[in-house]
Amino acid sequence: MSVLDQTLYYFHKAADAMDLGEHIQEMMAEPHRIIVVQIPVEMENGVIEVFKGYRVQHNPARGPMKGGLRYHPTVDVEHCTSLANLMTWKTALLDIPYGGAKGGVNCDPTQMTEREMERVTRKFIANLEECIGPYKDIPAPDVNTNSQVMAWIMNEYSKINGFSPAVVTGKPLDLHGSEGREAATGRGVVFVTENFLHDYEISLKDTSVIVQGFGNVGSWAAKILFEAGAKILAISDVSGGIYCEEGLDIPTLLNTTHEGHLLSEVHGYDHISNEELLTLPCDLLIPAALGRAINKDNAADIQARFIVEAANSPVTPEADEILDKRGIPVLPDILANAGGVTVSYFEWTQNIQQFRWSEDDINMRLKLKMRKAYQTVRKVAKKYNVPLRTAAFIVSIGRVGKATVLSGI
């Protein structure tokens, strides 16, 4: 099953539970627009490289479209379509006035200098600028992009359209970014997990946690969980994982990784593979790396009590069914990792108002949004007697569908 088929599987499962007609499902599943651009760039060695840039705009029914830009060799139309689709349901679930979009450039940033990255970014936006804008489509950081890339995008777009900080979110604080944006996805994971565990009368304190992926989302989630008293048993990055039955010293490990070291270089802990990490016993397993980490081949070996999807699509449909039969609840990605787009919405709002909110205010608003979304999903799950994922899609599809009908098809 392809990554797009996986997303559509969950969509159709929820739509069928709602008795939506075939033609309505087709209309809501198909993207609004697919944009492919050529990006010829002179590299620093003098060679002309031609990259491909993509932007898939999925659904504009509830507002301007919103979604990240990733720079990765696997970026293509299918991946962007799948992720744009998820963004539509994610923003609707959090009741944010956006539709979904996703895009990026098919390139390998590990083989590029910062200057080459800037050239690629500026050329990409110069070719794309007619299709994005503060009230059209608002990009954000994703895999291998960061606040610096967002700053280049804002600058390039503003050269053509005038001062436009709201064209992109995830910007540096000194260039009209928002307090709390860097930690937002990881913090949102913790907020919604806290509500989730409360239903099982479990506190975060002393909960054993395994985090697969120690990038932005995984590291912030681990840090905030550690500060809340949770015991982080294992973490991993591209080089592998480390494990300690007594719990890891997350602040020290954060300092180590911020200095540019991989976890494989860390001493004093047991070293394990990413595959081994996923099947260790724990209360809470948080896949926070790339998608499809938990699949039909390893789902039967999962020993976690609960799974929280901090990454996009980390559990395949086949694995989802196995976990459901085994009684392992999964907190779905369109809810669990929605903290990033929520604070992106706050940043966009601040840019339009030309006013800055405090970090405490941002975190308080985020906590309320995540709690309300979880409570809504929980109620729908009980009403329809379906898993949380199906319930989340039912809420989202209902909101997008109602906006579509009210606007006129």
Side-chain angles (χ1 to χ4, degrees):
M1 187 179 291
S2 72
V3 65
L4 178 56
D5 289 338
Q6 178 172 327
T7 300
L8 293 177
Y9 170 86
Y10 294 133
F11 166 79
H12 289 300
K13 185 176 180 180
D16 288 342
M18 300 169 73
D19 291 324
L20 284 186
E22 180 183 345
H23 297 298
I24 298 296
Q25 290 193 35
E26 182 180 357
M27 180 189 71
M28 295 181 72
E30 288 293 316
H32 170 68
R33 182 189 296 168
I34 296 175
I35 305 154
V36 183
V37 298
Q38 189 184 74
I39 309 172
V41 173
E42 183 179 351
M43 309 302 277
E44 295 205 64
N45 61 5
V47 173
I48 303 293
E49 293 277 0
V50 181
F51 302 97
K52 275 193 175 180
Y54 304 90
R55 190 67 174 173
V56 175
Q57 298 171 332
H58 180 254
N59 190 297
R62 288 174 43 84
M65 288 161 286
K66 186 84 181 76
L69 290 174
R70 58 177 56 186
Y71 290 0
H72 197 271
T74 62
V75 170
D76 58 21
V77 168
E78 181 184 306
H79 275 82
C80 292
T81 301
S82 171
L83 294 168
N85 198 305
L86 284 174
M87 283 300 297
T88 292
W89 315 127
K90 189 181 299 185
T91 52
L93 181 61
L94 271 292
D95 202 15
I96 295 169
Y98 288 144
K102 207 75 174 186
V105 179
N106 189 291
C107 65
D108 186 356
T110 64
Q111 304 301 312
M112 298 165 65
T113 66
E114 184 176 17
R115 191 171 180 184
E116 289 169 342
M117 286 272 287
E118 180 177 358
R119 289 174 182 172
V120 166
T121 300
R122 291 186 181 277
K123 190 76 171 181
F124 181 35
I125 298 306
N127 290 340
L128 193 67
E129 63 86 20
E130 291 183 355
C131 301
I132 63 173
Y135 298 102
K136 292 182 182 178
D137 180 0
I138 305 132
D142 202 282
V143 176
N144 293 328
T145 58
N146 54 23
S147 61
Q148 177 59 73
V149 175
M150 300 305 110
W152 294 330
I153 292 173
M154 174 191 156
N155 180 260
E156 190 65 27
Y157 182 87
S158 295
K159 284 180 183 178
I160 304 166
N161 296 280
F163 179 65
S164 304
V167 70
V168 69
T169 58
K171 301 180 296 292
L173 280 177
D174 292 331
L175 208 59
H176 314 290
S178 175
E179 298 282 355
R181 175 60 185 86
E182 183 183 356
T185 308
R187 191 178 299 280
V189 167
V190 177
F191 283 156
V192 77
T193 299
E194 192 171 19
N195 285 277
F196 179 48
L197 293 179
H198 183 265
D199 283 346
Y200 293 87
E201 300 181 348
I202 298 173
S203 168
L204 285 178
K205 185 174 173 59
D206 297 324
T207 300
S208 60
V209 182
I210 289 174
V211 182
Q212 188 227 12
F214 205 58
N216 176 269
V217 178
S219 63
W220 275 107
K223 178 179 186 293
I224 298 166
L225 286 166
F226 179 87
E227 291 170 351
K231 183 190 293 186
I232 314 299
L233 299 179
I235 59 174
S236 67
D237 61 14
V238 293
S239 69
I242 53 175
Y243 170 80
C244 179
E245 188 175 356
E246 289 75 37
L248 301 171
D249 182 355
I250 295 299
T252 299
L253 290 168
L254 283 168
N255 289 334
T256 300
T257 55
H258 288 163
E259 291 171 359
H261 298 288
L262 295 171
L263 293 178
S264 60
E265 303 172 43
V266 173
H267 301 291
Y269 297 118
D270 294 333
H271 287 264
I272 55 176
S273 69
N274 267 290
E275 292 73 22
E276 291 173 313
L277 175 140
L278 290 169
T279 58
L280 292 172
C282 63
D283 294 319
L284 197 64
L285 173 61
I286 304 178
L290 293 174
R292 309 173 78 138
I294 300 174
N295 50 62
K296 61 182 176 62
D297 296 326
N298 62 8
D301 298 322
I302 299 295
Q303 298 186 67
R305 291 181 64 190
F306 309 99
I307 295 175
V308 178
E309 293 186 324
N312 286 317
S313 305
V315 178
T316 67
E318 298 93 341
D320 208 44
E321 291 184 8
I322 294 170
L323 295 170
D324 187 47
K325 289 176 182 176
R326 294 184 60 208
I328 300 175
V330 178
L331 199 58
D333 50 3
I334 64 170
L335 173 58
N337 67 26
V341 72
T342 301
V343 176
S344 279
Y345 163 59
F346 297 160
E347 180 178 335
W348 177 75
T349 303
Q350 291 170 84
N351 291 158
I352 290 171
Q353 294 178 334
Q354 291 293 291
F355 185 80
R356 177 166 287 183
W357 304 345
S358 70
E359 184 170 1
D360 286 344
D361 197 15
I362 293 284
N363 292 340
M364 179 269 293
R365 292 170 186 265
L366 173 62
K367 187 172 187 175
L368 291 174
K369 275 283 191 187
M370 299 300 291
R371 182 172 67 192
K372 186 176 181 180
Y374 173 74
Q375 290 172 343
T376 301
V377 170
R378 182 187 61 189
K379 288 176 184 176
V380 171
K382 289 181 178 179
K383 177 182 177 181
Y384 284 87
N385 191 28
V386 293
L388 291 173
R389 187 191 309 281
T390 304
F393 272 86
I394 288 172
V395 174
S396 300
I397 293 167
R399 287 175 176 168
V400 174
K402 188 171 183 179
T404 302
V405 170
L406 290 172
S407 300
I409 298 176

PDB file of all heavy atoms in Angstrom, residues 346 357-366:
ATOM      1  N   PHE A 346      -1.225  30.593  15.046  1.00  0.00           N
ATOM      2  CA  PHE A 346      -1.033  31.726  15.959  1.00  0.00           C
ATOM      3  C   PHE A 346      -0.016  32.723  15.384  1.00  0.00           C
ATOM      4  O   PHE A 346      -0.184  33.939  15.510  1.00  0.00           O
ATOM      5  CB  PHE A 346      -0.551  31.236  17.330  1.00  0.00           C
ATOM      6  CG  PHE A 346      -1.518  30.353  18.068  1.00  0.00           C
ATOM      7  CD1 PHE A 346      -1.081  29.524  19.091  1.00  0.00           C
ATOM      8  CD2 PHE A 346      -2.874  30.345  17.748  1.00  0.00           C
ATOM      9  CE1 PHE A 346      -1.971  28.712  19.786  1.00  0.00           C
ATOM     10  CE2 PHE A 346      -3.774  29.532  18.437  1.00  0.00           C
ATOM     11  CZ  PHE A 346      -3.324  28.710  19.454  1.00  0.00           C
ATOM     12  N   TRP A 357       2.320  37.908  20.735  1.00  0.00           N
ATOM     13  CA  TRP A 357       1.845  37.318  21.978  1.00  0.00           C
ATOM     14  C   TRP A 357       3.034  36.749  22.752  1.00  0.00           C
ATOM     15  O   TRP A 357       4.065  36.397  22.182  1.00  0.00           O
ATOM     16  CB  TRP A 357       0.858  36.191  21.696  1.00  0.00           C
ATOM     17  CG  TRP A 357      -0.317  36.572  20.852  1.00  0.00           C
ATOM     18  CD1 TRP A 357      -0.741  37.840  20.562  1.00  0.00           C
ATOM     19  CD2 TRP A 357      -1.209  35.682  20.189  1.00  0.00           C
ATOM     20  NE1 TRP A 357      -1.852  37.784  19.753  1.00  0.00           N
ATOM     21  CE2 TRP A 357      -2.170  36.479  19.510  1.00  0.00           C
ATOM     22  CE3 TRP A 357      -1.319  34.293  20.098  1.00  0.00           C
ATOM     23  CZ2 TRP A 357      -3.200  35.931  18.754  1.00  0.00           C
ATOM     24  CZ3 TRP A 357      -2.340  33.746  19.354  1.00  0.00           C
ATOM     25  CH2 TRP A 357      -3.273  34.551  18.703  1.00  0.00           C
ATOM     26  N   SER A 358       2.881  36.598  24.087  1.00  0.00           N
ATOM     27  CA  SER A 358       3.946  36.025  24.915  1.00  0.00           C
ATOM     28  C   SER A 358       3.963  34.506  24.752  1.00  0.00           C
ATOM     29  O   SER A 358       2.984  33.891  24.315  1.00  0.00           O
ATOM     30  CB  SER A 358       3.710  36.372  26.387  1.00  0.00           C
ATOM     31  OG  SER A 358       2.588  35.661  26.890  1.00  0.00           O
ATOM     32  N   GLU A 359       5.086  33.878  25.134  1.00  0.00           N
ATOM     33  CA  GLU A 359       5.187  32.427  25.041  1.00  0.00           C
ATOM     34  C   GLU A 359       4.186  31.742  25.972  1.00  0.00           C
ATOM     35  O   GLU A 359       3.597  30.720  25.608  1.00  0.00           O
ATOM     36  CB  GLU A 359       6.613  31.964  25.365  1.00  0.00           C
ATOM     37  CG  GLU A 359       6.798  30.465  25.180  1.00  0.00           C
ATOM     38  CD  GLU A 359       8.248  30.015  25.257  1.00  0.00           C
ATOM     39  OE1 GLU A 359       9.132  30.863  25.485  1.00  0.00           O
ATOM     40  OE2 GLU A 359       8.497  28.802  25.078  1.00  0.00           O
ATOM     41  N   ASP A 360       3.982  32.317  27.152  1.00  0.00           N
ATOM     42  CA  ASP A 360       2.995  31.739  28.070  1.00  0.00           C
ATOM     43  C   ASP A 360       1.600  31.765  27.454  1.00  0.00           C
ATOM     44  O   ASP A 360       0.824  30.812  27.589  1.00  0.00           O
ATOM     45  CB  ASP A 360       2.989  32.508  29.393  1.00  0.00           C
ATOM     46  CG  ASP A 360       4.209  32.206  30.255  1.00  0.00           C
ATOM     47  OD1 ASP A 360       4.892  31.198  29.971  1.00  0.00           O
ATOM     48  OD2 ASP A 360       4.485  32.973  31.195  1.00  0.00           O
ATOM     49  N   ASP A 361       1.291  32.861  26.776  1.00  0.00           N
ATOM     50  CA  ASP A 361      -0.007  32.986  26.117  1.00  0.00           C
ATOM     51  C   ASP A 361      -0.147  31.953  25.000  1.00  0.00           C
ATOM     52  O   ASP A 361      -1.184  31.301  24.853  1.00  0.00           O
ATOM     53  CB  ASP A 361      -0.161  34.408  25.554  1.00  0.00           C
ATOM     54  CG  ASP A 361      -1.611  34.753  25.232  1.00  0.00           C
ATOM     55  OD1 ASP A 361      -2.510  34.039  25.697  1.00  0.00           O
ATOM     56  OD2 ASP A 361      -1.826  35.748  24.522  1.00  0.00           O
ATOM     57  N   ILE A 362       0.917  31.801  24.212  1.00  0.00           N
ATOM     58  CA  ILE A 362       0.928  30.813  23.126  1.00  0.00           C
ATOM     59  C   ILE A 362       0.686  29.407  23.682  1.00  0.00           C
ATOM     60  O   ILE A 362      -0.171  28.653  23.180  1.00  0.00           O
ATOM     61  CB  ILE A 362       2.277  30.842  22.370  1.00  0.00           C
ATOM     62  CG1 ILE A 362       2.454  32.165  21.622  1.00  0.00           C
ATOM     63  CG2 ILE A 362       2.407  29.640  21.429  1.00  0.00           C
ATOM     64  CD1 ILE A 362       1.643  32.294  20.370  1.00  0.00           C
ATOM     65  N   ASN A 363       1.441  29.031  24.715  1.00  0.00           N
ATOM     66  CA  ASN A 363       1.334  27.685  25.271  1.00  0.00           C
ATOM     67  C   ASN A 363      -0.031  27.433  25.895  1.00  0.00           C
ATOM     68  O   ASN A 363      -0.574  26.324  25.813  1.00  0.00           O
ATOM     69  CB  ASN A 363       2.447  27.445  26.290  1.00  0.00           C
ATOM     70  CG  ASN A 363       3.821  27.381  25.648  1.00  0.00           C
ATOM     71  OD1 ASN A 363       3.939  27.145  24.443  1.00  0.00           O
ATOM     72  ND2 ASN A 363       4.859  27.607  26.429  1.00  0.00           N
ATOM     73  N   MET A 364      -0.592  28.466  26.520  1.00  0.00           N
ATOM     74  CA  MET A 364      -1.925  28.323  27.120  1.00  0.00           C
ATOM     75  C   MET A 364      -2.977  28.091  26.027  1.00  0.00           C
ATOM     76  O   MET A 364      -3.827  27.201  26.143  1.00  0.00           O
ATOM     77  CB  MET A 364      -2.263  29.574  27.933  1.00  0.00           C
ATOM     78  CG  MET A 364      -3.640  29.561  28.585  1.00  0.00           C
ATOM     79  SD  MET A 364      -4.934  30.288  27.521  1.00  0.00           S
ATOM     80  CE  MET A 364      -4.383  32.003  27.486  1.00  0.00           C
ATOM     81  N   ARG A 365      -2.894  28.887  24.942  1.00  0.00           N
ATOM     82  CA  ARG A 365      -3.839  28.734  23.835  1.00  0.00           C
ATOM     83  C   ARG A 365      -3.684  27.362  23.166  1.00  0.00           C
ATOM     84  O   ARG A 365      -4.673  26.740  22.774  1.00  0.00           O
ATOM     85  CB  ARG A 365      -3.629  29.848  22.809  1.00  0.00           C
ATOM     86  CG  ARG A 365      -4.011  31.240  23.298  1.00  0.00           C
ATOM     87  CD  ARG A 365      -3.548  32.317  22.303  1.00  0.00           C
ATOM     88  NE  ARG A 365      -3.754  33.650  22.786  1.00  0.00           N
ATOM     89  CZ  ARG A 365      -4.818  34.420  22.507  1.00  0.00           C
ATOM     90  NH1 ARG A 365      -5.781  33.941  21.732  1.00  0.00           N
ATOM     91  NH2 ARG A 365      -4.921  35.636  22.979  1.00  0.00           N
ATOM     92  N   LEU A 366      -2.428  26.917  23.031  1.00  0.00           N
ATOM     93  CA  LEU A 366      -2.174  25.604  22.433  1.00  0.00           C
ATOM     94  C   LEU A 366      -2.775  24.495  23.282  1.00  0.00           C
ATOM     95  O   LEU A 366      -3.416  23.568  22.767  1.00  0.00           O
ATOM     96  CB  LEU A 366      -0.664  25.388  22.267  1.00  0.00           C
ATOM     97  CG  LEU A 366      -0.229  23.994  21.800  1.00  0.00           C
ATOM     98  CD1 LEU A 366      -0.791  23.683  20.411  1.00  0.00           C
ATOM     99  CD2 LEU A 366       1.298  23.883  21.795  1.00  0.00           C
TER     100      LEU A 366
END
